[in-house]
C-alpha cells in the first residue's frame, strides 16, 4: 500500500542552524501539507501546498520557514535559523485532491534543537 | 475555528468493552476525519465521514456525524489492548487543512 515517507526520522541540530526535512508524498497525490506537534501538545497545521505554490499557511509558518517541491517526488520543509522552540515532531501529509479525500500522514521527523 | 475538541480527554476500559469518544467542532465542514496516534508515533488515518453522511463503519469502528449539533463520535467495539492510543478528530474546512484537538487518550487493559 502506498505511504508517505519522511527522512530523517530524527534530526538534532544546534540553535541557529538551517535544517531541511524531507517528505515523499504518495505518488498520485496533488495536495501536500506540513504539520508539527510539540511534545505533549496538539498537532498544528503549518502549511499547505498545491500546484507548486503555498495555498494556505498558519501564523506559525513565518519567514523562517519555507517549502519546496524540487522535483516530481520530494516535498521539503526548510527552517532557516532554528530556535529551541522549533523542537517538535514534524509531519508531512498528502491527499489526492477534491473535497473529500483523506489526508495520509508520514511517520514524522523528530527535530531536536539544542 | 474548526478545531475538533475530543471528549473525554482520557478513557480507560477493559479489553472486550466498547469505547466511545466524542468530538465537537465550531463551524461548517466538508468532512471530518478520525486519526489514531500511538505514543511518539505518526498519525494513522482511521475513517473519513462526509458532511452529507450520518454514519460510517469500518471494521470495529463506527463513526457518526451530526452536523446540526456539530458533533461526531467514534465507537470502537470489542476493544483490544492494541487499540491503546490517542484518538483525534480533525474537521476539514474549505481551505483543506485539518485542525486537531487535544485528543482522547484511550487505555485498554488486558
Amino acid at each position: 500500500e502506498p505511504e508517505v515517507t519522511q527522512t530523517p526520522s530524527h534530526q538534532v541540530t544546534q540553535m541557529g542552524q538551517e535544517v531541511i526535512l524531507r517528505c515523499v508524498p504518495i505518488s498520485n497525490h496533488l495536495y501536500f501539507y506540513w504539520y508539527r506537534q510539540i511534545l505533549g501538545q496538539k498537532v498544528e497545521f503549518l502549511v499547505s501546498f498545491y500546484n507548486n505554490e503555498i495555498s494556505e499557511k498558519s501564523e506559525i509558518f513565518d519567514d523562517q520557514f519555507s517549502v519546496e517541491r524540487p522535483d516530481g517526488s520530494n516535498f521539503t520543509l526548510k527552517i532557516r535559523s532554528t530556535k529551541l522552540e522549533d523542537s517538535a515532531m514534524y509531519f508531512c501529509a498528502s491527499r489526492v485532491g477534491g473535497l473529500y479525500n483523506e489526508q495520509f500522514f508520514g511517520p514524522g521527523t523528530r527535530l531536536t534543537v539544542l | 475555528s474548526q478545531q475538533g475538541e475530543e471528549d473525554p480527554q482520557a478513557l480507560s476500559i477493559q479489553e472486550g468493552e466498547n469505547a466511545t469518544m466524542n468530538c465537537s467542532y465550531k463551524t461548517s465542514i466538508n468532512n471530518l476525519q478520525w486519526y489514531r496516534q500511538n505514543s511518539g508515533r505518526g498519525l494513522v488515518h482511521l475513517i473519513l465521514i462526509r458532511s452529507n453522511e450520518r454514519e460510517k463503519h469500518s471494521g470495529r469502528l463506527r463513526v457518526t456525524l451530526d452536523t446540526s449539533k456539530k458533533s461526531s463520535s467514534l465507537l470502537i467495539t470489542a476493544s483490544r489492548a492494541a487499540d491503546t492510543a490517542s484518538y483525534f478528530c480533525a474537521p476539514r474546512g474549505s481551505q483543506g487543512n485539518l485542525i486537531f484537538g487535544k485528543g482522547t487518550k484511550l487505555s485498554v487493559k488486558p
Side-chain angles (χ1 to χ4, degrees):
Chain A
E1 186 174 329
E3 57 184 20
V4 178
T5 59
Q6 290 186 243
T7 54
S9 57
H10 192 186
Q11 173 94 45
V12 181
T13 190
Q14 295 289 327
M15 190 170 56
Q17 294 296 306
E18 174 183 287
V19 294
I20 298 176
L21 309 182
R22 302 181 193 281
C23 168
V24 179
I26 295 172
S27 62
N28 63 333
H29 285 194
L30 301 177
Y31 293 79
F32 314 113
Y33 305 84
W34 283 101
Y35 295 81
R36 79 171 186 192
Q37 185 179 33
I38 296 171
L39 187 63
Q41 298 189 25
K42 300 177 191 178
V43 175
E44 301 173 291
F45 166 73
L46 293 178
V47 66
S48 59
F49 192 85
Y50 169 71
N51 199 26
N52 281 320
E53 60 182 26
I54 290 173
S55 47
E56 190 183 7
K57 59 183 180 180
S58 72
E59 294 175 351
I60 303 167
F61 194 88
D62 61 21
D63 292 345
Q64 291 300 312
F65 291 88
S66 63
V67 289
E68 194 177 33
R69 187 153 163 84
D71 52 42
S73 59
N74 290 284
F75 179 50
T76 61
L77 174 70
K78 182 193 288 186
I79 309 175
R80 289 192 182 83
S81 178
T82 50
K83 305 170 190 166
L84 295 176
E85 54 265 36
D86 293 328
S87 293
M89 194 78 156
Y90 287 80
F91 295 107
C92 173
S94 70
R95 69 181 178 96
V96 172
L99 289 177
Y100 300 117
N101 296 132
E102 298 88 341
Q103 283 190 29
F104 293 96
F105 282 73
T109 292
R110 181 167 296 284
L111 176 65
T112 301
V113 182
L114 303 176
Chain B
S1 163
Q2 289 138 344
Q3 177 179 336
E5 292 292 350
E6 297 84 356
D7 171 61
Q9 291 186 7
L11 181 61
S12 183
I13 59 174
Q14 293 294 131
E15 207 165 28
E17 293 180 340
N18 294 342
T20 299
M21 288 158 271
N22 302 298
C23 164
S24 60
Y25 57 92
K26 293 182 182 178
T27 62
S28 62
I29 59 171
N30 292 317
N31 64 55
L32 184 143
Q33 302 179 47
W34 283 91
Y35 288 84
R36 184 185 76 226
Q37 185 180 36
N38 290 80
S39 181
R41 306 291 291 276
L43 291 155
V44 176
H45 186 272
L46 295 176
I47 199 165
L48 178 153
I49 186 164
R50 302 176 184 183
S51 57
N52 61 352
E53 296 176 314
R54 291 296 167 259
E55 187 171 312
K56 201 162 183 180
H57 297 255
S58 176
R60 293 184 296 112
L61 306 180
R62 173 178 168 256
V63 167
T64 64
L65 179 65
D66 187 335
T67 51
S68 65
K69 294 181 180 176
K70 293 187 170 53
S71 67
S72 175
S73 68
L74 171 67
L75 168 67
I76 303 173
T77 59
S79 62
R80 305 166 182 167
D83 295 328
T84 294
S86 291
Y87 291 82
F88 300 88
C89 75
R92 178 184 178 275
S94 58
Q95 298 298 323
N97 58 293
L98 301 177
I99 308 293
F100 290 85
K102 294 180 181 177
T104 292
K105 196 167 185 177
L106 175 65
S107 175
V108 182
K109 299 179 180 177

